[in-house]
Amino acid sequence: MSAPAPPSAGAFPSPPGGFAPAPPPATRRNVELLLLGLAALITTVSLVLVEASQEQAITWEIAKLGAAYLALFGVAHLAVRRFAAFADPLLLPIAALLNGLGLVIIHRVDLAQAQDAAFASLPIPSPDANQQVLWTGLGMVVFVGLLIVLRDYRSLARYAYTLGLIGVIALALPALLPDRYSQVNGAKIWIRLPGFSVQPGEFAKIALIVFFAGVLVSKRDLFTGAGKHVFGMELPRMRDMGPVLLVWVVSVGVLVVEKDLGTSLLIFCTVLCMLYIATERVGWVAVGLLLLAIGFVFAYNVFGHVRVRVETWLHPFADYSNTGYQISQSLFGLATGGLAGTGLGSGRPSQVPFAKTDFIISAIGEELGLIGLSAILMLFCVFTIRGIRTALAIRDSFGKLLAAGLAFTIAIQVFVVVGGVTKLIPLTGLTTPFMSYGGSSLLANYVLLGLLIKVSDAARRPAPARKRVEPIVDASTQLLRKVEGGAA
Amino acid sequence: MNTPLRRVALAVMVMIVALLANATYVQVFKADSLRNDPRNVRVLLDEYARQRGQISASGTVLASSVATDDRYKYLRTYPTDPLAYAPATGYYSMQYGSNGLEHAEDSVLNGSDNALFGRRLIDMISGRDPRGGNVVTTLNPVMQKVAYDQLTAKNLTGSVVAIEPSTGRVLTMVSTPSYDPNLLAGHDGAATQKTWEQLQQDPRQPMLNRAVSQTYPPGSTFKVIVTAAALSNGIAKPDDQFTAAPRITLPDTATTLENYNGSHCGPGDAQTASLTDAFKYSCNTAFAELGMKVGAAKLKDEANAFGIGTQHPNIPIPWADSTVGTIPDSAAMAQSSIGQRDVALTPLDNAVVAATIANGGVRMKPYLVDQLQAPDLSTLETTKPTSVGQAVTPQVATQVTNLMLESEKNTQGGTQPRSYQIASKTGTAEHGDDPRNTPPHAWYIAFAPAQNPKIAIAVIVENGGDRALAATGGSVAAPIARAVLDAGLGG
């Protein structure tokens, strides 16, 4: 787990006479390209398997789709080569593979739903996979655009408060809008406009992570030093803690109003994690978990839907045909898949409601089995660990907190959604990053990926990168000097 | 800040491990119970998506699965005389499960049988949808159709069972009224439910397989066993004399037992009648006397030798057990001797009785499945005939055959010329709370040709059929059996 020491000229003892200049560290871009090719291959083969077992015609179209997919991510790869040459070579291929497999599963559920509709003599729903391909393309545009526009991620720290405000407003907006502009399937988390809908919470999550990273870095000395002692813990002064608490309370409060416990839990845990990293105080985690417990007891007693969720979690089959139906079907699907799965295209994933969004993991567990599900979890695990490695390697505190927050939020999201559909924890409505159907989620996750790649580029960039820091030295905000001074 | 970062990384790994552990629990350890949960519709859908094997009889397809374009992929159909074959094939329904051969041979038909493992593996590797194996029945389509038509022509409630004496092969198994299994196999749930409810509520019980699931008092057909017991134990010879009185009073009771129509036994007015005449004219009083001489223990032993009162094997569909009852005293013994009181046999039991006599006393285990085949029609397994013991000696069997030949001559229609000889015994069994005013069950058991038996048959028509109180085995059941024998023996 120990991170490699960041490359530094001073780390090498120079013999008399001196060394020739060390060769620049490998950019590992070719590894990334190779892995992208592998991801494209796995995705294409998966698609072929689905088409074969669903008795669709196997045509060159599939190969073209695979090639188009490779081309799409090839562009992303070129952008990384050009604008973030030293970035971690695993992040983009993992995202590409998850996205590709997600597309295949969405397409597979499309086929199943078309079959079901045909059987029931209902109109066949338009395939969501096509839409998702469009979103993937748009995701690439956003990703590449971010790499180009954001020359240095540290400039984001300047907009921390702005982004925090935007995040809070984005979170709160659906709650303020009338139901018909904001409610889908009972959750008031949308902004519905003619033509398209967005889930602002997905983007708010990233804005808030940037905000917390910025605020915690600028004030972290104050948090740990200037407060009162309570129960052996040092509490920060309220005026320092204020913005943090405010945003946190607002986001959690808004989410409770919107009945979106998943996002609430996600933001809460991410903030807690960042707070812990910034302050290095376990006490904060304890306080946070205590708050979480209090919040949970409160929600359980006040909100009927929370009680239903918990009840359904404990006894999924008690109200089988009603509240327990979805989780029961999910468990049936996972069990039917067993160790090796039914094979791609041979399961019955459409038995689970929302198999393309919240329950895409059930479809994977059914058709690819425990082996496939474990592989997906390992991809997420590697993705997160590489993100945390980036945080370990980067030298400025803002980058550390940003990378750690972004990586950890993926991990917690996976934990909440996978734990939910496998009955480890109560079910909350969350999407699986990069895999679930939905434009907001996909675009937001590509923004997240872009930021993470930017930070990792900086972390792995060799010494000459110091020159690139100069423009920041010119900047005269107190914050940025602190960033430099706070390098670990 | 690196220490907390490493701890966070550790926490992430703990979270992933927790997810993996939980997924393993659900997908491996808890999987079987979840998979087999009746609410898990996947298992059912999978089974319906697989091409189920055929059930056939001598090349006639009785049940097969045809491809459909709905999501269940295959529809179970019963293309040939579904009502005639329903007692044997049973039904196969999405909502109501299955019975008959569909149930008994389910593992072969749905392809999960271990005998099909190798082929399943090949199918899996070659990517072909797994198919089920086939079941070839022992039924004779010509006889089956005649038997069904005979019963339904007069709207009779009853059953015909015919078996091959030398092997135990079931050649005919009919039960009326019947039902159309096609109506239960459909994919339209509402229609199926409606059909099912109608069938369940029908007072004539069309789904009851009378051939193997219903027991009846055998009446005078039981005299075959009483006679066999007497002859085997040296208690009587065919010429021995027994009372010819039209009625007797049972020992230690005020209950009387009388001959059919209260008539004297046999022609003339002799005080006694020979065992041959008593058998020929089916005299109840003589058999009551004979039965009391044989005694309960020996009668039960003999009945057991014929399979009555023993635990029946599945053939492979379930076969209800028969009984001779407890027989506590002489009066009970007298009543049991004429196949009344607690004696209860299924039509298949009675067909086995006739077949055992026909086969020189050797009782064969009846069976309905001739072969199990792989999907490619190659043979997986052929049922071998099984002897379940020598019920009577060949000499006794010959003596009883002669008595049955005499009986046939005395039965209505028994003297009509035909190309082969029939050995038979009729029965007219009283039943119900008020036996005198309840139409009796009409029985007829027989085998033919008498010298070289090919077919043994039992026919029962419930509640007198179209003759009501006036019904007898000879008038109602015998013509049906003879028509089926004609069909089977070609003349």
Side-chain angles (χ1 to χ4, degrees):
Chain A
M1 266 302 299
S2 70
S8 147
F12 298 100
S14 296
F19 274 132
T27 60
R28 308 290 248 161
R29 290 280 67 81
N30 292 335
V31 173
E32 181 180 88
L33 186 59
L34 195 74
L35 290 176
L36 275 174
L38 193 64
L41 185 70
I42 292 172
T43 303
T44 310
V45 169
S46 305
L47 186 59
V48 169
L49 288 175
V50 166
E51 301 290 75
S53 51
Q54 285 290 298
E55 284 160 27
Q56 306 282 316
I58 309 277
T59 60
W60 281 107
E61 279 301 306
I62 294 173
K64 282 188 205 163
L65 281 175
Y69 172 85
L70 190 57
L72 203 59
F73 283 96
V75 169
H77 165 74
L78 289 177
V80 173
R81 239 177 223 278
R82 173 75 181 78
F83 298 104
F86 290 89
D88 190 308
L90 286 181
L91 295 174
L92 182 62
I94 288 177
L97 181 55
L98 290 170
N99 192 349
L101 287 177
L103 276 169
V104 170
I105 298 287
I106 291 164
H107 171 63
R108 194 264 165 279
V109 178
D110 276 341
L111 291 177
Q113 287 180 345
Q115 223 173 21
D116 291 349
F119 174 69
S121 315
L122 294 171
I124 290 169
S126 66
D128 284 331
N130 295 356
Q131 191 64 39
Q132 185 78 347
V133 170
L134 217 63
W135 286 123
T136 305
L138 208 60
M140 285 303 109
V141 171
V142 167
F143 174 76
V144 171
L146 187 79
L147 290 190
I148 297 170
V149 170
L150 189 68
R151 298 192 64 84
D152 193 317
Y153 68 91
R154 277 168 285 198
S155 57
L156 282 176
R158 255 184 283 171
Y159 307 109
Y161 284 91
T162 319
L163 283 169
L165 190 66
I166 291 172
V168 171
I169 291 172
L171 269 179
L173 209 51
L176 304 174
L177 285 172
D179 280 0
R180 74 194 162 99
Y181 292 115
S182 66
Q183 199 164 341
V184 177
N185 296 321
K188 212 168 145 60
I189 52 174
W190 295 80
I191 296 176
R192 295 171 62 186
L193 298 170
F196 74 105
S197 312
V198 289
Q199 262 179 295
E202 294 280 357
F203 299 97
K205 173 180 75 185
I206 296 171
L208 289 177
I209 288 170
V210 176
F211 165 74
F212 279 113
V215 171
L216 287 171
V217 164
S218 66
K219 305 221 166 161
R220 79 186 182 106
D221 293 341
L222 295 173
F223 285 147
T224 51
K228 295 179 203 159
H229 288 259
V230 179
F231 300 124
M233 264 189 324
E234 292 161 24
L235 290 183
R237 287 180 306 185
M238 208 53 203
R239 65 171 176 216
D240 302 321
M241 196 57 202
V244 182
L245 272 182
L246 184 71
V247 174
W248 174 67
V249 165
V250 166
S251 60
V252 172
V254 158
L255 290 168
V256 166
V257 172
E258 291 171 9
K259 299 187 180 181
D260 184 6
L261 292 159
T263 310
S264 177
L265 197 62
L266 183 63
I267 292 179
F268 186 96
C269 291
T270 306
V271 170
L272 197 60
C273 169
M274 292 172 75
L275 205 56
Y276 168 63
I277 293 168
T279 62
E280 304 195 19
R281 304 280 159 125
V282 184
W284 282 106
V285 180
V287 170
L289 291 177
L290 190 70
L291 273 176
L292 193 66
I294 291 168
F296 174 75
V297 171
F298 174 77
Y300 183 85
N301 286 309
V302 173
F303 302 110
H305 63 273
V306 179
R307 271 197 300 281
V308 170
R309 285 278 166 93
V310 173
E311 224 16 73
T312 307
W313 171 55
L314 293 172
H315 311 287
F317 299 105
D319 189 8
Y320 168 74
S321 55
N322 192 16
T323 54
Y325 184 77
Q326 206 174 18
I327 183 74
S328 303
Q329 287 303 325
S330 173
L331 292 174
F332 287 155
L334 291 168
T336 306
L339 189 63
T342 59
L344 265 175
S346 303
R348 302 198 176 265
S350 62
Q351 289 295 323
V352 190
F354 296 101
K356 290 176 203 167
T357 52
D358 296 13
F359 280 79
I360 200 159
I361 286 293
S362 307
I364 289 165
E366 180 174 356
E367 298 212 323
L368 295 175
L370 179 63
I371 295 170
L373 182 57
S374 305
I376 298 287
L377 287 176
M378 288 324 290
L379 285 178
F380 279 117
C381 186
V382 171
F383 186 91
T384 309
I385 296 300
R386 297 302 282 208
I388 292 173
R389 252 179 91 114
T390 295
L392 280 166
I394 193 80
R395 278 157 294 176
D396 73 291
S397 300
F398 175 69
K400 270 188 193 300
L401 279 174
L402 184 62
L406 295 174
F408 189 73
T409 200
I410 292 283
I412 197 82
Q413 191 164 350
V414 168
F415 182 76
V416 168
V417 70
V418 178
V421 303
T422 58
K423 206 183 97 74
L424 181 63
I425 58 170
L427 192 62
T428 56
L430 272 186
T431 55
T432 309
F434 296 110
M435 301 194 90
S436 290
Y437 172 73
S440 307
S441 167
L442 202 57
L443 291 185
N445 282 315
Y446 275 115
V447 170
L448 186 153
L449 179 70
L451 292 176
L452 211 48
I453 282 193
K454 271 288 178 192
V455 180
S456 89
D457 173 46
R460 295 161 56 95
R461 195 169 281 276
R466 282 182 183 280
K467 281 179 193 155
R468 292 179 57 84
V469 178
E470 280 175 4
I472 296 183
V473 175
D474 294 340
S476 61
T477 59
Q478 178 202 18
L479 183 67
L480 284 175
R481 279 204 294 276
K482 274 225 160 283
V483 169
E484 266 191 337
Chain B
M1 284 164 82
N2 284 353
T3 309
L5 271 174
R6 291 203 175 89
R7 286 187 186 147
V8 166
L10 203 64
V12 168
M13 288 198 197
V14 168
M15 270 160 34
I16 298 285
V17 166
L19 290 176
L20 286 173
N22 183 57
T24 308
Y25 172 70
V26 171
Q27 297 199 267
V28 177
F29 295 103
K30 195 94 189 297
D32 268 341
S33 70
L34 285 169
R35 236 191 316 255
N36 299 325
D37 190 300
R39 291 167 295 196
N40 186 2
V41 74
R42 286 172 185 78
V43 176
L44 199 65
L45 288 173
D46 277 353
E47 205 178 303
Y48 282 88
R50 212 181 282 165
Q51 186 168 13
R52 192 174 171 82
Q54 289 186 346
I55 303 176
S56 65
S58 291
T60 306
V61 175
L62 307 182
S64 68
S65 287
V66 295
T68 62
D69 50 10
D70 66 26
R71 70 163 159 172
Y72 301 114
K73 287 192 182 172
Y74 290 99
L75 178 67
R76 195 66 170 162
T77 55
Y78 302 85
T80 317
D81 296 322
L83 288 101
Y85 287 103
T89 60
Y91 63 85
Y92 181 71
S93 162
M94 285 170 50
Q95 285 135 295
Y96 302 105
S98 60
N99 75 354
L101 286 175
E102 292 278 28
H103 185 74
E105 296 294 353
D106 188 51
S107 64
V108 170
L109 290 167
N110 74 23
S112 68
D113 196 86
N114 286 337
L116 292 166
F117 177 77
R119 284 162 177 93
R120 234 178 15 247
L121 204 66
I122 292 167
D123 281 347
M124 197 175 82
I125 292 164
S126 65
R128 192 168 51 192
D129 278 341
R131 290 173 298 165
N134 303 310
V135 172
V136 181
T137 67
T138 55
L139 294 173
N140 177 321
V142 181
M143 291 168 69
Q144 184 83 4
K145 180 157 173 50
V146 169
Y148 181 75
D149 290 348
Q150 283 287 319
L151 282 172
T152 50
K154 290 175 179 169
N155 197 25
L156 304 177
T157 300
S159 174
V160 177
V161 178
I163 51 186
E164 186 174 73
S166 59
T167 57
R169 293 161 62 90
V170 177
L171 303 171
T172 309
M173 178 186 280
V174 166
S175 172
T176 59
S178 191
Y179 65 98
D180 186 350
N182 284 306
L183 301 177
L184 295 175
H187 293 170
D188 180 344
T192 308
Q193 188 184 352
K194 201 171 158 223
T195 306
W196 175 265
E197 280 165 7
Q198 275 171 0
L199 289 170
Q200 291 296 309
Q201 285 157 12
D202 191 328
R204 292 183 71 199
Q205 294 184 272
M207 294 187 73
L208 173 65
N209 184 355
R210 292 172 167 78
V212 291
S213 302
Q214 180 75 325
T215 61
Y216 303 91
S220 296
T221 60
F222 196 61
K223 286 169 185 166
V224 171
I225 291 186
V226 177
T227 305
L231 294 172
S232 297
N233 290 294
I235 290 161
K237 288 187 283 293
D239 293 335
D240 284 2
Q241 299 293 310
F242 295 90
T243 179
R247 66 175 56 78
I248 56 170
T249 303
L250 297 179
D252 306 325
T253 67
T255 312
T256 59
L257 185 153
E258 61 182 41
N259 290 335
Y260 184 72
N261 275 345
S263 58
H264 181 80
C265 186
D269 52 3
Q271 284 299 299
T272 59
S274 68
L275 175 55
T276 305
D277 281 344
F279 192 95
K280 177 177 179 178
Y281 297 110
S282 199
C283 303
N284 291 339
T285 53
F287 266 87
E289 190 188 344
L290 176 62
M292 287 188 282
K293 271 187 158 179
V294 171
K298 290 200 170 75
L299 180 68
K300 279 189 181 176
D301 283 350
E302 192 59 64
N304 280 349
F306 278 91
I308 296 155
T310 61
Q311 198 157 26
H312 284 331
N314 292 347
I315 65 162
I317 62 177
W319 177 16
D321 289 342
S322 53
T323 178
V324 290
T326 51
I327 320 186
D329 52 32
S330 292
M333 186 62 215
Q335 288 176 323
S336 302
S337 301
I338 58 167
Q340 297 286 168
R341 203 179 158 90
D342 296 332
V343 188
L345 271 60
T346 64
L348 179 59
D349 278 302
N350 233 344
V352 168
V353 170
T356 304
I357 298 296
N359 197 34
V362 177
R363 179 162 64 98
M364 303 301 290
K365 181 186 158 197
Y367 63 94
L368 189 54
V369 172
D370 186 37
Q371 276 190 6
L372 301 177
Q373 296 176 335
D376 60 6
L377 302 182
S378 64
T379 305
L380 292 175
E381 189 184 320
T382 303
T383 311
K384 289 189 193 70
T386 320
S387 161
V388 267
Q390 184 91 31
V392 290
T393 61
Q395 292 74 23
V396 170
T398 307
Q399 286 176 320
V400 175
T401 302
N402 290 333
L403 294 177
M404 289 174 75
L405 281 165
E406 288 300 309
S407 174
E408 173 67 10
K409 281 178 203 156
N410 189 50
T411 303
Q412 192 179 331
T415 51
Q416 278 171 6
R418 35 177 29 97
S419 60
Y420 56 90
Q421 276 193 300
I422 297 174
S424 74
K425 183 71 195 85
T426 56
T428 307
E430 294 180 338
H431 65 101
D433 294 332
D434 181 12
R436 294 289 149 92
N437 296 309
T438 307
H441 294 323
W443 276 102
Y444 181 81
I445 64 171
F447 58 87
Q451 272 66 44
N452 179 26
K454 299 283 189 214
I455 301 168
I457 191 167
V459 174
I460 186 170
V461 175
E462 286 185 15
N463 298 312
D466 56 332
R467 301 269 172 109
L469 278 168
T472 61
S475 65
V476 176
I480 298 170
R482 290 187 192 120
V484 176
L485 289 173
D486 283 348
L489 297 168

